[in-house]
Amino acid sequence: EIEAKYTKKMQVLRDELDLRRKTEIHEVEERKNSQISELMRNHEKAFSDIKNYYNDITLKNLALISLLKEQLEEMKKRENHLEKEKADVLLQNKQLKEPLQQAQEQVFELQKKLAHYEKDKEALTNTKARLKVTQKELKDLQWEHEVLEQRFSKVQAERDELYQKFTKAINEVQQKTGFKNLLLERKLKGLLSVLEKKELELSEVFAASNLDPGALSLVSHKLEDVLNSKNATIKDLQLQLARICKAHNDMLQTFEAKLTAFGIPLDNLGFKPLASPVQGQ
């Protein structure tokens, strides 16, 4: 019974262990299969990466070879160009021997001048000191210039105001003088015409009347007195006209002198002043 009992237990235990073994074997096979699949995928990926890598290297090498060929051709061209430049430089060197000798002589002269460097340096220091003084004087002059510019602007404004007033006064004086000259000329013409009429009438009266010489002489004397009085009046009017014309011309000269003193060109007036002719000239 004990043997049967333990045999039965042993069989049960054997079945359990066999089942566990099969289960473990199945799990091991599944892990093995999954590892194999993972390894195959990794190998395929690594193979693809290596293939792409070597394809890229091949393409890069081909491009590099092409680039190197182009660079080689470019270097050959540059080499030819440099050969030409070398020949030109050699020719220039031959041509520059004489200028080089001259330059060496100039260097020798400059070395002589370098011996006087200390003196020149001292002179430069003195010059800088004078420059500072000059700069200070320049600032003072600039300040004075600004002050003068302000004064000039003020004087210019006063000049413009005086110019406007003077122009207005000139126009008024010209109008008054022209009007007075016109009146005097008309008055003088009227008196001359009246004088001519009176002389004509007097001649007709003398011709019509048969006066005796004494009466005729008396009338002539009276007529001469009247004529002398009229001539004196005419001379006075002529003198007044001459004085007015002279005053007008003097005023124009004074005006032009003032414009010149203030720096105003005569063309800025907008009109040309006319001088009045003096009677008798």
Side-chain angles (χ1 to χ4, degrees):
E1 290 176 358
I2 291 169
E3 186 179 358
K5 181 179 179 182
Y6 280 99
T7 301
K8 187 178 180 179
K9 283 184 180 182
M10 185 182 294
Q11 186 65 37
V12 170
L13 182 60
R14 184 177 290 164
D15 292 337
E16 289 177 358
L17 291 174
D18 189 33
L19 180 62
R20 185 183 296 174
R21 180 182 58 79
K22 289 180 180 179
T23 302
E24 289 177 355
I25 289 171
H26 182 69
E27 290 176 357
V28 168
E29 287 180 353
E30 285 182 354
R31 286 197 300 272
K32 180 192 72 174
N33 292 330
S34 64
Q35 287 178 358
I36 289 170
S37 299
E38 183 69 24
L39 285 172
M40 289 179 70
R41 285 195 300 271
N42 292 334
H43 289 167
E44 289 177 356
K45 184 176 182 300
F47 178 75
S48 177
D49 291 341
I50 290 172
K51 184 178 178 181
N52 293 330
Y53 173 73
Y54 282 106
N55 286 334
D56 292 338
I57 289 176
T58 303
L59 293 175
K60 288 181 181 179
N61 288 334
L62 291 174
L64 182 61
I65 290 169
S66 177
L67 179 62
L68 290 173
K69 286 182 179 180
E70 293 178 357
Q71 290 180 355
L72 182 61
E73 292 178 357
E74 184 68 24
M75 289 179 70
K76 286 182 179 179
K77 291 180 181 179
R78 288 181 61 187
E79 184 179 1
N80 294 330
H81 182 67
L82 289 173
E83 288 292 334
K84 292 181 181 179
E85 288 185 351
K86 179 181 177 182
D88 294 337
V89 168
L90 291 174
L91 181 61
Q92 289 179 1
N93 286 336
K94 291 180 180 179
Q95 295 176 352
L96 290 174
K97 282 184 179 179
E98 184 176 354
L100 178 61
Q101 186 177 359
Q102 294 178 357
Q104 288 176 349
E105 293 177 356
Q106 290 179 358
V107 168
F108 181 71
E109 293 294 331
L110 290 173
Q111 287 176 350
K112 288 183 179 179
K113 292 181 180 179
L114 186 62
H116 302 286
Y117 171 73
E118 292 297 331
K119 294 182 180 179
D120 294 338
K121 186 177 180 181
E122 185 178 357
L124 179 62
T125 304
N126 296 330
T127 304
K128 286 182 178 179
R130 290 197 298 269
L131 179 61
K132 289 182 180 179
V133 176
T134 306
Q135 286 177 348
K136 184 178 182 302
E137 293 177 353
L138 177 62
K139 289 182 180 179
D140 295 338
L141 290 174
Q142 287 176 348
W143 182 78
E144 291 179 0
H145 177 68
E146 291 179 358
V147 174
L148 290 175
E149 279 187 347
Q150 294 177 0
R151 291 177 61 186
F152 174 74
S153 300
K154 184 178 179 181
V155 171
Q156 197 171 18
E158 293 177 356
R159 182 203 66 183
D160 294 338
E161 184 179 358
L162 288 174
Y163 170 72
Q164 293 176 359
K165 291 181 179 179
F166 206 61
T167 304
K168 184 177 179 182
I170 284 294
N171 291 330
E172 293 177 356
V173 171
Q174 279 187 336
Q175 291 176 358
K176 291 179 181 179
T177 305
F179 183 68
K180 188 177 288 186
N181 289 341
L182 183 61
L183 290 178
L184 289 175
E185 288 177 358
R186 288 184 178 179
K187 188 174 181 180
L188 182 60
K189 289 180 181 178
L191 290 175
L192 290 175
S193 62
V194 170
L195 178 61
E196 290 177 356
K197 289 180 181 179
K198 293 297 182 181
E199 288 180 350
L200 183 60
E201 291 175 359
L202 183 61
S203 299
E204 292 176 354
V205 169
F206 284 158
S209 63
N210 295 321
L211 296 175
D212 57 348
L216 184 60
S217 176
L218 181 61
V219 172
S220 297
H221 285 302
K222 289 183 179 180
L223 183 60
E224 286 179 358
D225 292 338
V226 173
L227 290 175
N228 290 330
S229 176
K230 296 297 183 182
N231 288 330
T233 303
I234 290 171
K235 287 182 180 179
D236 290 338
L237 290 174
Q238 288 177 347
L239 289 174
Q240 291 180 12
L241 180 60
R243 282 197 298 270
I244 291 172
C245 290
K246 187 176 184 303
H248 175 73
N249 294 334
D250 293 341
M251 181 188 63
L252 286 180
Q253 292 178 359
T254 304
F255 178 64
E256 290 176 357
K258 289 292 184 182
L259 289 179
T260 304
F262 283 111
I264 302 174
L266 297 178
D267 297 336
N268 292 342
L269 286 178
F271 63 92
K272 184 178 181 181
L274 298 175
S276 300
V278 181
Q279 189 71 20
Q281 295 182 358

